[in-house]
């Protein structure tokens, strides 16, 4: 039956040019209704429960809901509006209510438990995932317990949204006004006018106002020359979420208690144990072993770098002892002077089209696929470009990429991301989106990418490839790029390695005016400067993860204040203040949603870096496009998330996966594997 709702009519590629906000909710309603019928049939099934008649249909139950939800998510990222946000909220509530109905159903849970555990690898993964979902929703608890889980979840949702709200309002509350021209020394004109506009918007006739958002403050700490300015914005950022009426202290305390209660009800020692059971790392001690191994070498290296930067500052008119708000600035100046690397010059060799094609070419060489632009697909915006991906061996279609690279008005989400628009299913091609927020090209100049932007494109491209290629499974929910973040981020992070290789860069980097290839000396300067002080970021993640774990492992009876907890987890080291950036009460990651992936999951940033460094080692030894290594990596991508991560990695990497091996690979990749040199004679630093 044909309807007016394009989401309810058959299609292969979603008719993005016809879909409107009002189409989503009726389509989801219908999908939930259909799923409800299948659910009723499934739980009243009388034949003896087995994998085929219970687990498989359960996995397929949500397939139409997911199909519509993925299209909606695409629009949420690409062209959101108040109406769409409101619809999405209603829809999310409906879906989560239906999920609870299914996964808290006693009869179905009983049936599921009676299924014999499967033996083949991907069936095992599916069984484990669903088992954890039942468990997490409280399906195996008595009715009283189930009710309590529901109540806790409702409270956590409220607390987390209050936490985020306090951060948003607290950020504005802590805005700092500067009135002396000396305060803003060193800031580029565009930043100065943005700060002036902030001041005017807040009703000040003169002056410049900093609203202490984290990324903006990080950027300003690097470039601002005035120490007083830096100290003020650093301290303002640290106060966000800590002062009335936007003080998060009582909220974090409640969250701590409720998450602990929820986890112990389900049989775990604490929330971290509950969360880690759903990840690749698997347990807190294993992550700690990894982090300790990294710290052992990264910390002395960090100490060495800080001493070097401190001496440089002292010799160039800076403070003798660097405060936390000074370090980024002097590190930046030291880097510029020491490595003489001109990042803008490098950018001139990175026009967007070259980098995009370079990414495609790289993927073609590693994974034996081909990318071809195909302009016939429906799009939601003229900026979007669409590409067919084909398997070179079989000629079969792999999927479609929607590339949406330019910034638009407020209707497009910020930063960069990849998302799946459609899973690969019979009659439905696999579709992924690749999104950035680059400036549109000027008339006489193409969009030139910075090194960071190129790295981001390859990172998101890695997620996209995992989505495109990770379909070697019979179970739709196990297609890439889903799954636990500590594993999922491997596939994106490992791809960041290629544009750092001259061989790869030479295939696409061309000067936008002259067409010449990247000069060797510019490449070498980039290489030398790239890892300078990289250990600081790695250690910041570890410091934050220690707080994260302390928070999520502590017995609430022992929890007094967030400050006390922070101190119990903090590195004891003379320079440690330089790697502490998040007081708990202004740290959004673990508190952004009830059971946020980052709650006891922040370590994932370093874990996936370590895994990616280890995964790239064979290429490092045998060449960026070594055929055997390419094949192994392609196999790992093809699994999606259908195999247990550790096993899949070991199988394809051909070596056992230890936390020491990961730590060593990570340290080597940032040049922190060698024992620190004593580089300072007195306090003078020789500058080349
Ligand atoms: Zn990522």
């Amino acid at each position: 039956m044909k309807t007016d709702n394009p989401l309810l009519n058959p299609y292969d590629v979603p008719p993005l040019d016809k879909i409107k906000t009002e189409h989503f909710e009726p389509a989801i309603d219908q999908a939930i209704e259909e799923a409800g019928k299948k659910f009723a049939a499934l739980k009243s099934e009388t034949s003896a429960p087995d994998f085929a008649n219970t687990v498989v249909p359960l996995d397929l139950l949500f397939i139409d809901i997911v199909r519509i939800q993925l299209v909606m998510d695409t629009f949420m990222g690409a062209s959101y509006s108040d109406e769409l946000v409101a619809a999405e909220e209603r829809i999310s509530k409906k879906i989560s209510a239906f999920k609870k109905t299914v996964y808290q159903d006693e009869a179905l849970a009983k049936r599921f438990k009676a299924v014999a555990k499967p033996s083949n690898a991907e069936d095992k993964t599916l069984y484990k995932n669903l088992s954890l979902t039942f468990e997490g929703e409280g399906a195996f608890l008595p009715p009283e317990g189930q009710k309590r889980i529901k109540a806790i979840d409702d409270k956590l949702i409220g607390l987390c949204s209050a936490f985020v709200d306090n951060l948003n309002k607290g950020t504005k509350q802590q805005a700092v006004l500067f009135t002396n021209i000396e305060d803003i020394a060193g800031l580029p004109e565009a930043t100065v006018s943005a700060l002036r506009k902030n001041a005017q918007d807040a009703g000040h006739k003169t002056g410049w106002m900093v609203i202490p958002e984290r990324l903006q403050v990080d950027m300003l700490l690097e470039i601002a020359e005035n120490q007083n300015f830096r100290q003020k914005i650093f301290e303002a950022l640290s106060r966000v979420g800590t002062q009335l009426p936007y003080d998060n202290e009582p909220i974090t305390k409640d969250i701590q208690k409720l998450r602990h209660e929820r986890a112990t009800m389900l049989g775990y020692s604490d929330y971290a144990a509950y969360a880690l059971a759903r990840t690749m790392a698997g347990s807190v001690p294993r992550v700690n072993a990894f982090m300790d191994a990294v710290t052992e070498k990264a910390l002395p290296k960090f100490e060495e770098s800080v001493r070097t930067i401190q001496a440089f500052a002292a010799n160039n008119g800076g403070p003798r002892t660097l405060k936390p708000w000074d370090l980024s600035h002097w590190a930046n100046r030291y880097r510029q002077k020491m490595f003489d690397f001109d990042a803008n010059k490098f950018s001139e060799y990175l026009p967007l089209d070259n980098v995009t094609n370079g990414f495609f070419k790289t993927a073609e060489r590693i994974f034996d696929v081909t990318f071809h632009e195909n302009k016939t697909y429906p799009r939601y915006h003229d900026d979007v470009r669409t590409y067919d991906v084909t398997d070179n061996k079989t000629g079969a279609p792999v999927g479609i990429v929607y590339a949406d690279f330019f910034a638009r008005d407020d209707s497009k989400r910020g930063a960069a991301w990849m998302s799946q628009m459609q899973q690969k299913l019979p009659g439905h091609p696999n579709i992924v989106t690749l999104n950035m927020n680059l400036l549109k090209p000027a008339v006489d100049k193409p969009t030139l990418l910075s090194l960071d932007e190129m790295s981001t494109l390859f990172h998101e491209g890695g997620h996209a490839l995992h989505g495109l290629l990770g379909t070697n499974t019979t179970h739709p929910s196990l297609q890439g790029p889903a799954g636990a973040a500590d594993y999922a981020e491997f596939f994106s992070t490992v791809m960041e390695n290629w544009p750092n290789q001259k061989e790869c860069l030479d295939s696409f980097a061309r000067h936008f005016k002259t067409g010449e290839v990247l000069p060797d000396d510019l490449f070498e300067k980039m290489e030398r400067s790239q890892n300078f002080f990289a250990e600081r970021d790695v250690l910041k993640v570890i410091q934050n993860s220690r707080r994260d774990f302390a928070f999520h492992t502590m017995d609430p009876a022992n929890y007094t204040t967030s400050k006390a907890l922070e101190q119990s987890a903090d590195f004891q080291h003379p320079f440690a203040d330089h790697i502490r950036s998040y007081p708990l009460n202004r740290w959004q990651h673990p508190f952004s949603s009830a059971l946020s992936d980052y709650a006891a999951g922040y370590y994932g940033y370093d874990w996936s870096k370590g895994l990616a460094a280890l995964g790239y080692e064979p290429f490092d030894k045998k060449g960026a496009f070594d055929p055997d290594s390419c094949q192994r990596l392609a196999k790992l991508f093809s699994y999606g998330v259908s195999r247990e991560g550790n096993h899949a990695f070991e199988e394809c990497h051909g070596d056992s996966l230890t936390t020491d091996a990961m730590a060593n690979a990570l340290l080597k990749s940032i040049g922190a594997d060698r024992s620190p040199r004593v580089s300072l004679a007195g306090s003078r630093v020789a500058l080349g």
Side-chain angles (χ1 to χ4, degrees):
M1 196 178 58
K2 198 135 169 76
T3 75
D4 296 342
N5 188 338
L7 284 164
L8 292 172
N9 294 325
Y11 60 76
D12 47 5
V13 174
L16 301 174
D17 47 347
K18 299 197 177 65
I19 295 170
K20 304 226 151 43
T21 300
E22 63 265 27
H23 294 139
F24 289 113
E25 203 167 359
I28 284 283
D29 286 343
Q30 183 167 324
I32 291 179
E33 197 187 317
E34 292 299 319
K37 285 182 201 157
K38 288 183 197 156
F39 166 58
L42 181 59
K43 63 178 187 165
S44 57
E45 173 76 48
T46 50
S47 55
D50 61 23
F51 195 84
N53 72 16
T54 303
V55 181
V56 172
L58 182 56
D59 187 44
L60 297 176
L61 202 57
F62 289 87
I63 217 159
D64 267 330
I65 298 175
V66 171
R67 179 174 60 83
I68 295 157
Q69 205 179 9
L70 290 179
V71 179
M72 183 177 68
D73 288 349
T74 305
F75 277 85
M76 279 293 285
S79 62
Y80 66 78
S81 60
D82 289 348
E83 296 78 49
L84 184 62
V85 171
E88 196 268 346
E89 243 185 81
R90 289 194 302 274
I91 287 169
S92 295
K93 278 189 188 147
K94 285 180 183 179
I95 295 174
S96 97
F98 179 64
K99 253 183 128 175
K100 275 229 159 36
T101 310
V102 172
Y103 288 109
Q104 280 200 343
D105 187 87
E106 231 187 300
L108 185 63
K110 233 185 195 160
R111 240 192 109 70
F112 180 84
K113 263 208 148 166
V115 171
K117 280 191 186 145
S119 56
N120 107 30
E122 57 168 335
D123 291 354
K124 259 192 194 160
T125 306
L126 182 61
Y127 182 88
K128 187 183 171 203
N129 290 353
L130 291 174
S131 184
L132 287 173
T133 307
F134 274 116
E135 181 203 80
E137 298 286 353
F140 306 135
L141 294 177
E144 271 314 294
Q146 289 197 359
K147 251 172 88 184
R148 181 66 192 148
I149 293 279
K150 257 190 193 154
I152 290 176
D153 286 356
D154 284 346
K155 274 193 195 163
L156 281 173
I157 290 169
L159 285 167
C160 289
S161 78
F163 183 98
V164 174
D165 200 42
N166 275 346
L167 286 195
N168 291 336
K169 292 179 177 146
T171 303
K172 297 198 178 82
Q173 177 195 29
Q174 299 299 341
V176 195
L177 184 71
F178 294 93
T179 48
N180 294 325
I181 189 86
E182 305 89 69
D183 290 332
I184 55 166
L187 305 189
E189 187 44 45
T191 308
V192 171
S193 46
L195 299 185
R196 190 179 301 120
K197 185 167 183 311
N198 285 347
Q200 284 164 353
D201 289 351
H204 301 280
K205 286 205 177 70
T206 55
W208 305 269
M209 182 176 268
V210 177
I211 299 167
E213 275 144 348
R214 186 170 60 85
L215 293 177
Q216 165 128 72
V217 170
D218 281 351
M219 182 273 284
L220 290 171
L221 288 178
E222 277 198 12
I223 55 175
E225 285 168 10
N226 185 299
Q227 191 188 28
N228 175 54
F229 174 90
R230 293 197 304 263
Q231 178 173 1
K232 281 202 164 138
I233 62 172
F234 181 92
E235 289 173 347
L237 177 64
S238 307
R239 282 194 304 269
V240 171
T242 67
Q243 288 190 338
L244 289 170
Y246 309 120
D247 183 8
N248 275 328
E249 183 75 12
I251 296 178
T252 38
K253 192 166 183 171
D254 281 350
I255 292 176
Q256 210 272 337
K257 210 164 114 196
L258 289 169
R259 282 187 181 157
H260 184 81
E261 182 188 350
R262 196 185 192 285
T264 48
M265 278 178 71
L266 297 174
Y268 293 90
S269 56
D270 48 60
Y271 187 83
Y274 165 84
L276 270 290
R278 284 144 176 81
T279 63
M280 176 188 193
S283 74
V284 174
R286 187 163 179 231
V287 177
N288 281 337
F290 167 68
M291 294 198 305
D292 288 348
V294 174
T295 306
E296 196 191 321
K297 286 197 173 144
L299 203 54
K301 168 87 179 165
F302 172 70
E303 192 182 323
E304 182 204 13
S305 301
V306 175
R307 283 190 203 288
T308 306
I309 297 162
Q310 203 152 266
F312 172 76
N315 281 312
N316 289 276
R320 201 143 281 285
T321 306
L322 294 175
K323 299 284 186 192
W325 44 86
D326 296 324
L327 187 65
S328 294
H329 176 70
W330 286 100
N332 195 33
R333 284 176 64 165
Y334 176 81
R335 180 189 286 118
Q336 279 171 3
K337 186 124 198 205
M338 196 64 183
F339 299 102
D340 182 34
F341 170 59
D342 186 345
N344 293 329
K345 184 100 207 103
F346 202 100
S347 273
E348 292 178 358
Y349 293 83
L350 303 175
L352 173 62
D353 280 353
N354 290 53
V355 179
T356 309
N357 290 329
F359 168 71
F360 290 158
K361 260 186 222 162
T362 306
E364 289 180 9
R365 289 179 73 182
I366 302 171
F367 300 104
D368 204 12
V369 291
T370 306
F371 289 75
H372 268 303
E373 183 157 17
N374 177 343
K375 296 184 178 178
T376 65
Y377 296 118
R379 294 170 302 163
Y380 52 79
H381 194 279
D382 283 347
D383 285 351
V384 178
R385 295 174 75 172
T386 48
Y387 302 85
D388 282 324
V389 188
T390 318
D391 184 322
N392 286 345
K393 266 194 219 78
T394 62
V398 171
I400 305 164
V401 179
Y402 275 63
D404 183 0
F405 285 144
F406 296 119
R408 282 194 287 279
D409 48 27
D410 285 350
S411 68
K412 183 174 171 179
R413 198 179 122 180
W417 74 98
M418 169 272 172
S419 74
Q420 186 116 28
M421 193 200 296
Q422 185 161 275
Q423 290 180 295
K424 184 180 174 184
L425 293 167
H428 290 99
N430 189 349
I431 308 175
V432 300
T433 74
L434 199 47
N435 312 276
M436 298 190 58
N437 269 290
L438 302 168
L439 287 179
K440 275 202 178 174
V443 190
D444 53 342
K445 198 175 170 190
T447 299
L448 300 174
L449 270 61
S450 69
L451 276 168
D452 270 354
E453 286 165 341
M454 172 166 70
S455 181
T456 301
L457 196 149
F458 274 71
H459 177 101
E460 301 306 336
H463 284 306
L465 287 165
H466 193 206
L468 286 166
L469 303 166
T471 57
N472 185 16
T473 167
T474 42
H475 307 303
S477 68
L478 302 185
Q479 290 181 16
D486 60 355
Y487 186 48
E489 289 298 325
F490 160 76
F491 297 91
S492 48
T493 311
V494 76
M495 288 305 297
E496 293 175 25
N497 285 291
W498 273 269
N500 293 333
Q501 316 302 322
K502 189 76 172 30
E503 181 187 358
C504 181
L505 273 171
D506 278 347
S507 73
F508 66 84
R510 295 287 180 278
H511 194 274
F512 79 102
K513 271 189 197 147
T514 63
E516 65 170 330
V517 297
L518 193 70
D520 286 341
D521 70 319
L522 189 55
F523 175 78
E524 279 153 22
K525 281 178 184 169
M526 182 277 286
E527 262 200 321
R528 276 201 299 276
S529 71
Q530 196 182 31
N531 281 331
F532 170 70
F533 217 22
E535 70 276 10
R536 185 194 190 192
D537 290 337
V538 167
L539 286 167
K540 261 191 189 175
V541 171
I542 294 179
Q543 172 64 87
N544 284 320
S545 303
R546 287 163 62 119
R547 288 180 173 180
D548 185 19
F549 280 163
F551 184 87
H552 288 106
T553 53
M554 187 178 271
D555 185 331
N558 300 328
Y559 188 91
T560 52
T561 63
S562 62
K563 269 269 155 302
L565 181 124
E566 283 165 13
Q567 280 161 7
S568 76
D570 279 354
F571 277 125
Q572 298 308 318
H573 185 278
F575 294 148
D577 278 347
H578 291 298
I579 44 176
R580 288 182 197 126
S581 62
Y582 305 115
L584 277 168
N585 290 338
R586 66 145 282 258
W587 191 15
Q588 185 160 346
H589 282 82
F591 307 117
S592 59
S593 63
L595 309 176
S596 160
D597 278 349
Y598 294 105
Y602 199 78
Y603 72 90
Y605 283 111
D606 273 357
W607 182 274
S608 52
K609 256 191 202 164
L611 198 60
L614 189 57
Y616 191 76
E617 273 188 347
F619 295 97
D620 216 21
K621 284 186 195 126
K622 296 189 255 172
F625 296 100
D626 168 60
D628 175 57
S629 305
C630 287
Q631 265 178 30
R632 287 168 180 270
L633 190 68
K635 189 170 183 191
L636 193 53
F637 270 74
S638 79
Y639 283 155
V641 287
S642 65
R643 307 291 198 279
E644 198 286 311
N646 294 281
H647 293 160
F649 187 90
E650 284 183 342
E651 181 201 331
C652 298
H653 189 65
D655 214 345
S656 65
L657 174 61
T658 64
T659 49
D660 272 351
M662 279 170 63
N664 288 336
L666 173 58
L667 290 163
K668 197 168 162 218
S669 75
I670 59 166
D673 52 331
R674 293 169 298 274
S675 53
R677 301 154 280 135
V678 178
S679 63
L680 295 176
S683 62
R684 266 222 69 78
V685 182
L687 295 176

